[in-house]
């Protein structure tokens, strides 16, 4: 025993198997013993499951994710709408379900198409394209970047990281911010959805395009004139697709955008249907009859609802008691300032930037909507 104690022990006090004496017999692991006991399961090994070597992850478990549950619930609600209405024999409930289903069914195709295009742009269009196209002069780059939103559309969720990538690649912040505001507001998908939601009203489509583009350009110019570098936290580098595959990045991006945008679409449809049914008509008339209050009310409602830009026109069209200018303010403010965008901007560019930029954008969007609505509507 004395000879054994004088042997040099390896690191961590765990003797190697080769140094064990011949007559020691097989070692019996003691999970709760001292340091000299046999080690338990190492990193990456699943306790109680044989075959789990170091670094070997547990096999994935098949389960329904949030996207699958959302799609399943929406399909069940759409299919069972008539059955639910029959069981709840009330005119108000039937009206509520009719408004909700109408908004969801009309907006869903545009939502899917918009998320597909947005994910494709994020995955396959490199930000270096913008650095080659935009003028070096910031005052000229702002309207060009704003107009590019009509060519390279994207949803609100994707516009923030895309703008961050543009800044990290050397694009002027004013131009990147103009693209951030215009891309989800004036792209062809949104304009087509607006034309479908407001049939025989082409002036609403032109008004939305003009007011949204003007807001994006004005905000870019305001940043050129008054913006300070310490307000904006530019991302240090643009992260490439983590999967290593553009197609995998496209799939993940489309799933993420559809899950987020679809959830807000449902919330917006529920809120619009509830307002149509539960709010007394005299209250709606009192708000909508006052032109100024109606515009501000729908502008603040757009911030709270955070409906995706591909679907907000259908929500606005369902608010029949309000003026066309108030509906325009709802559609102009929503894609540029809402609760989820403020959170995304705060996490990407810093809280100081998000507070200043969101407040200024809201004010400019409302004023631009008033001017364009007075001119065209």
């Amino acid at each position: 025993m004395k000879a054994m104690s004088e042997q040099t022990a390896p690191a961590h006090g765990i003797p190697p198997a080769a140094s064990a004496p011949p007559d020691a017999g097989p070692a019996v692991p003691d999970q709760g013993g001292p340091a000299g006991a046999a080690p338990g399961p190492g990193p990456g090994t699943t306790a109680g499951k044989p075959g789990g070597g170091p670094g070997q992850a547990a096999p994935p478990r098949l389960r329904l994710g949030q996207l699958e549950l959302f799609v399943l619930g929406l399909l069940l609600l759409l299919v069972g709408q008539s059955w639910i209405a029959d069981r709840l024999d009330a005119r108000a409930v039937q009206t509520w379900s009719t408004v909700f289903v109408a908004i969801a069914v009309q907006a869903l195709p545009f939502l899917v198409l918009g998320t597909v295009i947005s994910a494709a742009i994020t995955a396959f269009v490199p930000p270096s394209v913008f650095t080659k196209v935009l003028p070096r002069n910031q005052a000229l780059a702002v309207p060009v970047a704003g107009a590019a939103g009509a060519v390279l559309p994207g949803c609100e969720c994707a516009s923030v990281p895309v703008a961050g990538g543009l800044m990290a690649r050397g694009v002027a912040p004013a131009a990147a911010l103009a693209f951030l505001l215009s891309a989800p507001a004036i792209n062809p998908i949104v304009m087509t959805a607006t034309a479908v939601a407001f049939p025989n009203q082409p002036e609403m489509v032109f008004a939305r395009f003009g007011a949204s583009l003007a807001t994006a350009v004005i905000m870019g110019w305001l940043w050129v004139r008054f913006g300070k570098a310490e307000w904006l936290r530019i991302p240090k580098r643009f992260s490439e697709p983590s999967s290593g595959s553009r197609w995998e990045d496209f799939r993940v991006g489309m799933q993420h955008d559809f899950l987020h945008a679809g959830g807000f679409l449902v919330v917006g449809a529920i809120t619009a249907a509830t307002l149509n049914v539960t709010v007394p008509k005299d209250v709606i008339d009192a708000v909508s009859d006052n032109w100024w209050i109606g515009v501000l009310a729908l502008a603040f409602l757009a911030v709270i609802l955070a409906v995706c830009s591909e679907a907000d026109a259908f929500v606005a069209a369902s608010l029949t008691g309000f003026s066309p200018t108030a509906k325009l303010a709802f559609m102009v403010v929503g894609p540029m300032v809402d609760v989820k965008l403020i959170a995304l901007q705060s996490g990407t560019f810093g809280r100081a930037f998000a507070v200043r930029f969101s407040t200024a954008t809201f004010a400019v969007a409302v004023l631009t909507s008033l001017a364009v609505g007075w001119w065209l509507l």
Side-chain angles (χ1 to χ4, degrees), residues 279-314:
V279 179
K281 190 175 182 302
D282 54 350
V283 175
I284 296 180
D285 292 340
V287 175
S288 59
D289 287 345
N290 190 310
W291 195 77
W292 297 98
I293 296 179
V295 171
L296 292 176
L298 288 195
F300 279 108
L301 184 65
V303 176
I304 298 173
L305 289 186
V307 183
C308 184
S309 59
E310 286 89 355
D312 60 357
F314 300 97

CSV table of all heavy atoms in Angstrom, one decimal, residues 279-314:
chain,number,residue,atom,x,y,z
A,279,VAL,N,-67.8,47.6,-29.6
A,279,VAL,CA,-67.8,49.1,-29.4
A,279,VAL,C,-69.2,49.7,-29.8
A,279,VAL,O,-69.6,49.5,-31.0
A,279,VAL,CB,-66.7,49.8,-30.1
A,279,VAL,CG1,-66.7,51.3,-29.8
A,279,VAL,CG2,-65.3,49.2,-29.6
A,280,PRO,N,-69.8,50.4,-28.9
A,280,PRO,CA,-71.1,51.0,-29.3
A,280,PRO,C,-71.0,51.9,-30.5
A,280,PRO,O,-70.0,52.6,-30.7
A,280,PRO,CB,-71.6,51.8,-28.1
A,280,PRO,CG,-70.8,51.1,-27.0
A,280,PRO,CD,-69.5,50.6,-27.5
A,281,LYS,N,-72.0,51.9,-31.3
A,281,LYS,CA,-71.9,52.7,-32.6
A,281,LYS,C,-71.8,54.2,-32.3
A,281,LYS,O,-71.1,55.0,-33.0
A,281,LYS,CB,-73.2,52.5,-33.4
A,281,LYS,CG,-73.1,53.1,-34.8
A,281,LYS,CD,-74.3,52.7,-35.6
A,281,LYS,CE,-74.2,53.2,-37.0
A,281,LYS,NZ,-74.1,54.7,-37.1
A,282,ASP,N,-72.4,54.7,-31.2
A,282,ASP,CA,-72.3,56.1,-30.9
A,282,ASP,C,-70.9,56.5,-30.5
A,282,ASP,O,-70.5,57.6,-30.8
A,282,ASP,CB,-73.3,56.5,-29.8
A,282,ASP,CG,-73.1,55.6,-28.5
A,282,ASP,OD1,-72.4,54.6,-28.6
A,282,ASP,OD2,-73.7,56.0,-27.5
A,283,VAL,N,-70.1,55.6,-29.9
A,283,VAL,CA,-68.7,55.9,-29.5
A,283,VAL,C,-67.9,56.0,-30.8
A,283,VAL,O,-67.1,56.9,-30.9
A,283,VAL,CB,-68.2,54.8,-28.6
A,283,VAL,CG1,-66.7,55.0,-28.3
A,283,VAL,CG2,-69.0,54.8,-27.2
A,284,ILE,N,-68.1,55.0,-31.7
A,284,ILE,CA,-67.3,55.0,-32.9
A,284,ILE,C,-67.7,56.3,-33.7
A,284,ILE,O,-66.8,56.9,-34.3
A,284,ILE,CB,-67.6,53.8,-33.8
A,284,ILE,CG1,-67.1,52.5,-33.0
A,284,ILE,CG2,-67.0,53.9,-35.1
A,284,ILE,CD1,-67.3,51.2,-33.8
A,285,ASP,N,-69.0,56.6,-33.7
A,285,ASP,CA,-69.4,57.8,-34.5
A,285,ASP,C,-68.8,59.1,-33.8
A,285,ASP,O,-68.4,60.0,-34.5
A,285,ASP,CB,-70.9,58.0,-34.5
A,285,ASP,CG,-71.6,56.9,-35.3
A,285,ASP,OD1,-70.9,56.3,-36.2
A,285,ASP,OD2,-72.8,56.6,-35.1
A,286,ALA,N,-68.7,59.1,-32.5
A,286,ALA,CA,-68.1,60.3,-31.8
A,286,ALA,C,-66.6,60.5,-32.2
A,286,ALA,O,-66.1,61.6,-32.4
A,286,ALA,CB,-68.3,60.2,-30.3
A,287,VAL,N,-65.9,59.3,-32.3
A,287,VAL,CA,-64.5,59.4,-32.7
A,287,VAL,C,-64.3,59.7,-34.2
A,287,VAL,O,-63.5,60.5,-34.6
A,287,VAL,CB,-63.8,58.1,-32.3
A,287,VAL,CG1,-62.3,58.1,-32.7
A,287,VAL,CG2,-63.8,57.9,-30.8
A,288,SER,N,-65.1,58.9,-35.0
A,288,SER,CA,-64.9,59.1,-36.4
A,288,SER,C,-65.5,60.4,-37.0
A,288,SER,O,-65.0,60.8,-38.0
A,288,SER,CB,-65.6,57.9,-37.1
A,288,SER,OG,-67.0,57.8,-36.8
A,289,ASP,N,-66.5,60.9,-36.3
A,289,ASP,CA,-67.0,62.2,-36.8
A,289,ASP,C,-66.0,63.3,-36.7
A,289,ASP,O,-66.1,64.3,-37.5
A,289,ASP,CB,-68.3,62.5,-36.1
A,289,ASP,CG,-69.5,61.6,-36.5
A,289,ASP,OD1,-69.3,60.9,-37.6
A,289,ASP,OD2,-70.5,61.5,-35.8
A,290,ASN,N,-65.2,63.3,-35.7
A,290,ASN,CA,-64.1,64.3,-35.6
A,290,ASN,C,-63.0,63.8,-36.4
A,290,ASN,O,-62.3,62.9,-36.1
A,290,ASN,CB,-63.7,64.4,-34.1
A,290,ASN,CG,-62.8,65.6,-33.8
A,290,ASN,OD1,-61.9,65.8,-34.5
A,290,ASN,ND2,-63.2,66.4,-32.8
A,291,TRP,N,-62.7,64.6,-37.5
A,291,TRP,CA,-61.7,64.2,-38.5
A,291,TRP,C,-60.3,64.1,-37.8
A,291,TRP,O,-59.6,63.1,-38.1
A,291,TRP,CB,-61.7,65.3,-39.6
A,291,TRP,CG,-61.0,64.9,-40.8
A,291,TRP,CD1,-61.5,64.1,-41.8
A,291,TRP,CD2,-59.7,65.3,-41.2
A,291,TRP,NE1,-60.5,63.9,-42.8
A,291,TRP,CE2,-59.4,64.7,-42.5
A,291,TRP,CE3,-58.7,66.1,-40.7
A,291,TRP,CZ2,-58.3,64.9,-43.2
A,291,TRP,CZ3,-57.5,66.3,-41.4
A,291,TRP,CH2,-57.3,65.7,-42.6
A,292,TRP,N,-59.9,65.0,-37.0
A,292,TRP,CA,-58.6,65.0,-36.4
A,292,TRP,C,-58.5,63.8,-35.4
A,292,TRP,O,-57.5,63.1,-35.4
A,292,TRP,CB,-58.3,66.3,-35.7
A,292,TRP,CG,-58.3,67.5,-36.7
A,292,TRP,CD1,-59.3,68.3,-36.9
A,292,TRP,CD2,-57.2,67.9,-37.5
A,292,TRP,NE1,-58.9,69.3,-37.8
A,292,TRP,CE2,-57.6,69.0,-38.2
A,292,TRP,CE3,-55.9,67.4,-37.7
A,292,TRP,CZ2,-56.8,69.6,-39.1
A,292,TRP,CZ3,-55.1,68.0,-38.6
A,292,TRP,CH2,-55.5,69.1,-39.3
A,293,ILE,N,-59.5,63.7,-34.6
A,293,ILE,CA,-59.4,62.6,-33.6
A,293,ILE,C,-59.4,61.2,-34.2
A,293,ILE,O,-58.7,60.3,-33.8
A,293,ILE,CB,-60.5,62.7,-32.6
A,293,ILE,CG1,-60.4,64.0,-31.8
A,293,ILE,CG2,-60.6,61.5,-31.6
A,293,ILE,CD1,-61.5,64.2,-30.8
A,294,GLY,N,-60.2,61.1,-35.3
A,294,GLY,CA,-60.2,59.8,-36.0
A,294,GLY,C,-58.8,59.4,-36.6
A,294,GLY,O,-58.4,58.3,-36.5
A,295,VAL,N,-58.1,60.4,-37.2
A,295,VAL,CA,-56.8,60.2,-37.7
A,295,VAL,C,-55.8,59.7,-36.6
A,295,VAL,O,-55.1,58.7,-36.8
A,295,VAL,CB,-56.3,61.4,-38.5
A,295,VAL,CG1,-54.8,61.2,-38.9
A,295,VAL,CG2,-57.1,61.7,-39.7
A,296,LEU,N,-55.8,60.4,-35.5
A,296,LEU,CA,-54.9,60.1,-34.4
A,296,LEU,C,-55.3,58.7,-33.8
A,296,LEU,O,-54.4,58.0,-33.4
A,296,LEU,CB,-54.9,61.2,-33.4
A,296,LEU,CG,-54.3,62.5,-33.8
A,296,LEU,CD1,-54.5,63.6,-32.7
A,296,LEU,CD2,-52.8,62.4,-34.1
A,297,ALA,N,-56.6,58.5,-33.7
A,297,ALA,CA,-57.0,57.2,-33.1
A,297,ALA,C,-56.5,56.0,-33.9
A,297,ALA,O,-56.0,55.0,-33.3
A,297,ALA,CB,-58.5,57.2,-33.0
A,298,LEU,N,-56.7,56.1,-35.2
A,298,LEU,CA,-56.2,54.9,-36.0
A,298,LEU,C,-54.7,54.9,-36.1
A,298,LEU,O,-54.1,53.8,-36.3
A,298,LEU,CB,-56.8,55.0,-37.4
A,298,LEU,CG,-58.3,54.7,-37.5
A,298,LEU,CD1,-58.8,54.5,-39.0
A,298,LEU,CD2,-58.7,53.5,-36.7
A,299,ALA,N,-54.0,56.0,-36.1
A,299,ALA,CA,-52.6,56.0,-36.1
A,299,ALA,C,-52.0,55.3,-34.8
A,299,ALA,O,-51.1,54.4,-34.9
A,299,ALA,CB,-52.0,57.4,-36.1
A,300,PHE,N,-52.6,55.6,-33.7
A,300,PHE,CA,-52.2,54.9,-32.4
A,300,PHE,C,-52.6,53.5,-32.4
A,300,PHE,O,-51.9,52.6,-31.9
A,300,PHE,CB,-52.7,55.6,-31.2
A,300,PHE,CG,-52.0,56.8,-30.8
A,300,PHE,CD1,-52.5,58.1,-31.0
A,300,PHE,CD2,-50.7,56.7,-30.2
A,300,PHE,CE1,-51.8,59.2,-30.6
A,300,PHE,CE2,-50.0,57.9,-29.8
A,300,PHE,CZ,-50.5,59.1,-30.0
A,301,LEU,N,-53.7,53.2,-33.0
A,301,LEU,CA,-54.2,51.8,-33.1
A,301,LEU,C,-53.2,51.0,-34.0
A,301,LEU,O,-52.9,49.8,-33.7
A,301,LEU,CB,-55.6,51.7,-33.7
A,301,LEU,CG,-56.2,50.3,-33.8
A,301,LEU,CD1,-56.4,49.7,-32.4
A,301,LEU,CD2,-57.5,50.4,-34.6
A,302,ALA,N,-52.7,51.6,-35.0
A,302,ALA,CA,-51.7,50.9,-35.9
A,302,ALA,C,-50.4,50.5,-35.1
A,302,ALA,O,-49.8,49.4,-35.3
A,302,ALA,CB,-51.3,51.7,-37.1
A,303,VAL,N,-50.0,51.4,-34.2
A,303,VAL,CA,-48.8,51.1,-33.4
A,303,VAL,C,-49.0,49.9,-32.5
A,303,VAL,O,-48.2,49.1,-32.3
A,303,VAL,CB,-48.4,52.4,-32.6
A,303,VAL,CG1,-47.2,52.1,-31.7
A,303,VAL,CG2,-48.1,53.5,-33.5
A,304,ILE,N,-50.2,49.9,-31.9
A,304,ILE,CA,-50.5,48.8,-30.9
A,304,ILE,C,-50.8,47.5,-31.6
A,304,ILE,O,-50.3,46.4,-31.1
A,304,ILE,CB,-51.7,49.2,-30.1
A,304,ILE,CG1,-51.4,50.5,-29.3
A,304,ILE,CG2,-52.1,48.1,-29.1
A,304,ILE,CD1,-52.6,51.1,-28.6
A,305,LEU,N,-51.5,47.5,-32.7
A,305,LEU,CA,-51.9,46.2,-33.3
A,305,LEU,C,-50.7,45.5,-34.0
A,305,LEU,O,-50.6,44.3,-34.0
A,305,LEU,CB,-53.0,46.4,-34.4
A,305,LEU,CG,-54.4,46.8,-33.9
A,305,LEU,CD1,-55.4,46.8,-35.0
A,305,LEU,CD2,-54.8,45.8,-32.8
A,306,ALA,N,-49.8,46.3,-34.6
A,306,ALA,CA,-48.6,45.8,-35.3
A,306,ALA,C,-49.0,44.7,-36.3
A,306,ALA,O,-48.4,43.7,-36.4
A,306,ALA,CB,-47.7,45.2,-34.3
A,307,VAL,N,-50.0,45.1,-37.2
A,307,VAL,CA,-50.4,44.1,-38.2
A,307,VAL,C,-49.4,44.2,-39.4
A,307,VAL,O,-48.8,45.2,-39.7
A,307,VAL,CB,-51.8,44.5,-38.8
A,307,VAL,CG1,-52.3,43.5,-39.8
A,307,VAL,CG2,-52.8,44.6,-37.6
A,308,CYS,N,-49.1,43.0,-40.0
A,308,CYS,CA,-48.2,43.0,-41.1
A,308,CYS,C,-48.6,43.9,-42.2
A,308,CYS,O,-49.9,44.0,-42.5
A,308,CYS,CB,-48.0,41.5,-41.5
A,308,CYS,SG,-46.8,41.3,-42.8
A,309,SER,N,-47.7,44.5,-42.9
A,309,SER,CA,-48.1,45.4,-44.0
A,309,SER,C,-48.8,44.8,-45.2
A,309,SER,O,-49.6,45.4,-45.9
A,309,SER,CB,-46.8,46.1,-44.5
A,309,SER,OG,-45.9,45.2,-45.0
A,310,GLU,N,-48.6,43.5,-45.4
A,310,GLU,CA,-49.3,42.8,-46.4
A,310,GLU,C,-50.8,42.6,-46.1
A,310,GLU,O,-51.6,42.2,-47.0
A,310,GLU,CB,-48.7,41.4,-46.7
A,310,GLU,CG,-47.4,41.5,-47.5
A,310,GLU,CD,-46.2,41.6,-46.6
A,310,GLU,OE1,-46.4,41.7,-45.3
A,310,GLU,OE2,-45.0,41.6,-47.0
A,311,ALA,N,-51.2,42.8,-44.8
A,311,ALA,CA,-52.5,42.5,-44.4
A,311,ALA,C,-53.2,43.7,-43.8
A,311,ALA,O,-54.4,43.6,-43.6
A,311,ALA,CB,-52.5,41.3,-43.4
A,312,ASP,N,-52.5,44.8,-43.5
A,312,ASP,CA,-53.2,45.9,-42.8
A,312,ASP,C,-54.2,46.6,-43.6
A,312,ASP,O,-55.1,47.2,-43.0
A,312,ASP,CB,-52.1,46.9,-42.2
A,312,ASP,CG,-51.3,47.5,-43.4
A,312,ASP,OD1,-51.5,47.1,-44.5
A,312,ASP,OD2,-50.4,48.3,-43.1
A,313,ALA,N,-54.1,46.5,-44.9
A,313,ALA,CA,-55.2,47.2,-45.7
A,313,ALA,C,-56.5,46.6,-45.5
A,313,ALA,O,-57.6,47.3,-45.5
A,313,ALA,CB,-54.8,47.1,-47.2
A,314,PHE,N,-56.6,45.3,-45.3
A,314,PHE,CA,-57.9,44.6,-45.1
A,314,PHE,C,-58.4,45.0,-43.7
A,314,PHE,O,-59.7,45.1,-43.5
A,314,PHE,CB,-57.7,43.1,-45.2
A,314,PHE,CG,-57.2,42.7,-46.5
A,314,PHE,CD1,-55.9,42.4,-46.8
A,314,PHE,CD2,-58.1,42.5,-47.6
A,314,PHE,CE1,-55.4,42.1,-48.0
A,314,PHE,CE2,-57.7,42.1,-48.9
A,314,PHE,CZ,-56.3,41.9,-49.1
